[in-house]
Amino acid sequence: MNGANLPAHLRINLEASTILFIDDNAMSLEILGSVFYGFGCKDRVKCANLEDAKNILLSRRVDLIFLDAGFPDDGWYKFMQWLRRDTADPMCFTPVIIISGHSTRALVRKARDCGAHFTVAKPITTGVLLNRLAWIAHEQRPFVRNAIFAGPDRRWKNNGAPPGTAGRRSGDAQEDNTEEPARASA
């Protein structure tokens, strides 16, 4: 294990990845860019406003997005809704990590409910970033897209539907409700 609590055999190669950092704080953009340069990422795109970020996403492929939650008027939330609901495949599936200087339970829920993969609180450590990258790279959560939600499945474990229910997804284990026929007694 290392500082990120990852198995020693686990490798994440970011050399060919494009990462988009969206933050209106220039210092935060520089810090994140430097950290990911240290991780081996050569293509780091820094963006200080949401409209420019949309234009970047419409013009090139991006593998991962870091989005600051500090934009006024819930701009980050509206950006996530645009990304998950109004963009085409494969862009709408791009993993997103929300970064926040003040991560309340309400913010974490809101980020989860708008389709973010993770929320990370500032100050950010390299161990936490590596850990979240490993989760995203190796997780098996399917992407859900319906009338009220678009994003990675919010369930971390898929043990099927709760006992006594039929489940809501096609992959939920179905309970066998058929009864065995009564045996005739001799």
Side-chain angles (χ1 to χ4, degrees):
M1 295 286 199
N2 53 31
N5 294 323
L6 301 174
H9 68 277
L10 182 65
R11 299 283 184 255
I12 300 173
N13 184 352
L14 299 175
E15 188 174 344
S17 299
T18 299
I19 301 177
L20 174 61
F21 304 100
I22 310 167
D23 195 325
D24 58 358
N25 182 312
M27 181 64 76
S28 291
L29 287 173
E30 285 303 313
I31 290 170
L32 281 169
S34 295
V35 166
F36 278 87
Y37 179 77
F39 289 167
C41 180
K42 295 179 179 176
D43 193 7
R44 300 166 322 279
V45 181
K46 301 171 192 169
C47 194
N49 68 66
L50 298 169
E51 284 306 314
D52 287 348
K54 286 180 180 181
N55 291 331
I56 289 167
L57 286 169
L58 292 172
S59 66
R60 65 185 296 186
R61 181 188 62 83
V62 170
D63 301 301
L64 177 65
I65 299 170
F66 282 86
L67 173 61
D68 185 70
F71 285 96
D73 300 321
D74 270 348
W76 69 274
Y77 183 79
K78 294 171 187 170
F79 178 87
M80 283 298 301
Q81 288 188 316
W82 169 81
L83 178 68
R84 295 294 188 229
R85 297 188 174 282
D86 298 337
T87 61
D89 298 356
M91 186 190 330
C92 64
F93 303 121
T94 306
V96 179
I97 296 177
I98 302 295
I99 301 170
S100 174
H102 183 67
S103 293
T104 63
R105 183 173 285 176
L107 179 98
V108 172
R109 281 189 190 127
K110 193 171 189 175
R112 176 202 64 200
D113 291 346
C114 72
H117 282 73
F118 285 105
T119 303
V120 177
K122 293 178 183 178
I124 295 170
T125 66
T126 56
V128 167
L129 290 176
L130 281 173
N131 185 283
R132 298 312 182 262
L133 287 175
W135 270 96
I136 290 171
H138 299 285
E139 72 183 347
Q140 298 298 314
R141 291 190 298 165
F143 198 89
V144 176
R145 204 176 207 180
N146 59 41
I148 59 171
F149 177 75
D153 192 339
R154 295 178 282 192
R155 298 180 295 180
W156 286 94
K157 296 179 184 176
N158 189 357
N159 297 330
T165 66
R168 297 181 300 177
R169 294 179 175 89
S170 62
D172 284 340
Q174 297 297 315
E175 191 175 289
D176 184 11
N177 292 328
T178 59
E179 293 183 26
E180 290 186 23
R183 294 184 182 192
S185 54

